[in-house]
Amino acid sequence: MNDAYNDLLIEEEDYKTLRDSIDSFDNFDNVSLAKRLERHDLLEFRRLAAHLYKVCSVNHPVTFSVYAR
């Protein structure tokens, strides 16, 4: 469900609400979302990708390092 909500926020280019969603919920594929956001045209979405990578690497360093390859 969070993935669908995040997709809607990306489509509407609502980076503020997406940031709130990312910080509030963890029931979505962080790395997949980060990879998608890092190629977005808007700078704020690319910043969110960097934020996601940072959060992933701090909270789940072993899982993140394996999955991010």
Side-chain angles (χ1 to χ4, degrees), residues 9-68:
L9 295 174
I10 293 168
E11 184 178 317
E12 294 187 2
E13 298 184 341
D14 187 354
Y15 61 86
K16 291 179 183 178
T17 306
L18 182 59
R19 172 70 184 247
D20 292 340
S21 175
I22 289 169
D23 290 340
S24 299
F25 305 105
D26 60 358
N27 190 19
F28 61 94
D29 186 354
N30 294 346
V31 176
S32 176
L33 180 60
K35 286 181 179 182
R36 182 174 172 199
L37 292 175
E38 72 184 1
R39 295 183 302 268
H40 199 280
D41 291 338
L42 293 179
L43 175 62
E44 291 300 326
F45 284 101
R46 295 193 304 270
R47 287 182 177 157
L48 283 177
H51 173 70
L52 275 169
Y53 283 127
K54 181 179 176 183
V55 169
C56 289
S57 67
V58 170
N59 293 342
H60 310 288
V62 173
T63 304
F64 174 74
S65 65
V66 170
Y67 190 58

